[in-house]
Amino acid sequence: MSLRMLTVLSVCICAVVAPLAAADEPPATITVENLRQLTPVARIEFADAPTLVENGWFALDAAGQHAAVISREQSLLVWNADGTLTDEYSIPGSDGLPTSILDAAFSPRDDLLVSAHLEGGMFYAAYRWFKAAYHEYYQFTTQDVPLRIWADENVWLEVSPFDYMQSRYIMELRPLPLDRIRQNDILSADEIATLPSGPESDAESFVRVGRIEPPLAVTVTREGLAKRWNLQTGGVDAEAQMAALPGAGQISADGRYFAWRDNESHMLHLLDFETGIDREVAPLDGAYIPFLLITPAADLIVGINIAGTPIVAAWDTQTGERFDLGAYRECGRQPDMARLSKDGTTLVIGCDMGLEFWRIERS
């Protein structure tokens, strides 16, 4: 692999966006005890956006306070949970036109969005401090393609090599550009650590489960052995035997639990990576569910768009009882994305018409 590193580039837009005033009371975590109070509380209408947005894919911060979507013109738009547009920006390429956005994620900081961009023969890792309308980016001269980006104290990318004979790899960028603002500051080789992507390099794994939030990943062998990977180390940190191959699933924020359904949607399962126990939660009777989410306490599994019906439902993981919570917003097709914030307070559903935020309605 050959990467030619370019300078950290900085852009500051003079307008500064003031942060939202703190709410009187923080949102409640969604649990089986308060589930019946889960309801839509806000919408973002793409028809009101300053530029055309046609896809409901979005990134969501850990507390469910901000969501970012991608416009058709390849800009990122950041909204507050109350529906206020906070920021819009793009990363220009060598021709001055916006680069193609491949992925975006909020960092644990409440003001930083990282994103991966592509231009012919190069890609970019961008950092946007959206409350101050300020961004920087690293530019890499290579035909490799970044697939995922995420952040902790550093920024990480999973990258697919241009040479299909080579394996995917993980790139670590350290430190964050904000700590090193100097013109013409070149990244040295020892500041870009790389290692093979563990899930993609594992000859035993048959399938990698989609939509698992990095740095975690889940693969399953043909024999049904589930492996939980840490992409930042390249290693497996837990294994458990499954009853069947998964058709869809999601892992809990702490990585312990994996909620999943089989390919034929016969049964909803909850796998505990700590104990190795995989147990049945409830029959699905063939109902296809494209999005499964799990609360932090693993007391609920939430399903979106059940059997093609535009509703939200949830299952008590202890009793298997199903709760139908009502319809989500009007869409022209099934949702493009559904996420539960890491703190478990906010469910967001995105489709071609816009986003909808669900929270516990306090009495």
Side-chain angles (χ1 to χ4, degrees):
M1 177 192 66
S2 174
L3 292 173
R4 292 199 296 276
M5 285 67 70
L6 241 151
T7 178
V8 178
L9 300 180
S10 305
V11 177
C12 185
I13 299 174
C14 294
V16 176
V17 180
L20 281 178
D24 293 336
E25 195 172 4
T29 301
I30 300 165
T31 68
V32 70
E33 286 78 18
N34 62 19
L35 177 65
R36 293 189 184 278
Q37 298 166 259
L38 182 63
T39 187
V41 296
R43 282 184 179 179
I44 292 168
E45 301 291 350
F46 289 163
D48 299 331
T51 186
L52 184 61
V53 181
E54 301 173 306
N55 190 289
W57 181 95
F58 61 91
L60 184 67
D61 72 359
Q65 297 293 336
H66 299 96
V69 304
I70 302 171
S71 77
R72 192 171 72 172
E73 287 74 27
Q74 296 302 300
S75 61
L76 278 158
L77 290 81
V78 181
W79 269 281
N80 290 333
D82 65 0
T84 304
L85 181 64
T86 299
D87 192 21
E88 180 184 5
Y89 72 101
S90 60
I91 300 298
S94 58
D95 56 3
L97 298 176
T99 52
S100 298
I101 303 165
L102 301 183
D103 194 24
F106 289 90
S107 84
R109 300 174 52 141
D110 65 356
D111 63 345
L112 178 62
L113 180 70
V114 298
S115 52
H117 304 248
L118 185 67
E119 182 186 15
M122 61 187 69
F123 71 80
Y124 304 76
Y127 306 67
R128 178 72 170 188
W129 286 270
F130 54 87
K131 291 182 180 179
Y134 172 87
H135 66 254
E136 302 174 339
Y137 56 86
Y138 289 134
Q139 181 190 67
F140 299 91
T141 305
T142 174
Q143 295 190 70
D144 295 353
V145 177
L147 305 175
R148 296 172 183 84
I149 190 167
W150 67 97
D152 45 26
E153 62 275 10
N154 298 318
V155 170
W156 305 76
L157 298 99
E158 185 171 18
V159 183
S160 177
F162 177 73
D163 181 355
Y164 71 93
M165 297 297 291
Q166 302 297 317
S167 297
R168 290 184 191 176
Y169 60 91
I170 306 298
M171 174 187 292
E172 179 186 5
L173 303 181
R174 60 181 191 268
L176 290 175
L178 186 63
D179 301 324
R180 58 181 298 163
I181 301 175
R182 301 193 304 272
Q183 290 297 320
N184 300 318
D185 189 5
I186 303 296
L187 284 169
S188 63
D190 61 357
E191 290 177 296
I192 303 180
T194 62
L195 72 157
S197 174
E200 302 298 330
S201 303
D202 183 33
E204 294 181 346
S205 292
F206 175 64
V207 63
R208 178 172 173 177
V209 181
R211 301 195 184 109
I212 302 296
E213 294 292 319
L216 299 178
V218 175
T219 65
V220 185
T221 68
R222 291 181 181 275
E223 292 74 32
L225 180 66
K227 301 181 181 185
R228 187 185 67 196
W229 298 81
N230 183 333
L231 295 173
Q232 295 174 189
T233 66
V236 175
D237 56 19
E239 295 183 346
Q241 186 63 41
M242 303 178 72
L245 293 178
Q250 187 54 261
I251 204 162
S252 59
D254 63 2
R256 175 173 176 175
Y257 296 98
F258 179 53
W260 64 281
R261 62 167 177 82
D262 59 272
N263 274 316
E264 291 75 30
S265 294
H266 292 315
M267 187 66 63
L268 186 63
H269 293 251
L270 183 67
L271 183 150
D272 184 338
F273 274 112
E274 186 172 300
T275 65
I277 296 173
D278 178 36
R279 61 182 179 83
E280 297 180 347
V281 173
L284 296 177
D285 300 322
Y288 175 78
I289 308 173
F291 296 98
L292 288 175
L293 308 170
I294 182 169
T295 54
D299 55 346
L300 290 167
I301 298 173
V302 180
I304 313 298
N305 195 245
I306 316 299
T309 304
I311 61 169
V312 177
W315 288 264
D316 183 328
T317 58
Q318 292 300 314
T319 67
E321 182 180 1
R322 172 174 164 168
F323 302 87
D324 289 320
L325 304 172
Y328 55 79
R329 60 161 304 135
E330 181 181 353
C331 297
R333 59 173 184 258
Q334 79 167 26
D336 299 300
M337 176 61 68
R339 296 184 190 268
L340 182 66
S341 61
K342 288 186 178 180
D343 67 357
T345 64
T346 309
L347 167 67
V348 183
I349 302 167
C351 68
D352 58 333
M353 305 298 288
L355 307 183
E356 187 169 69
F357 290 73
W358 291 54
R359 284 180 174 162
I360 298 300
E361 188 175 56
R362 297 186 184 273
S363 54

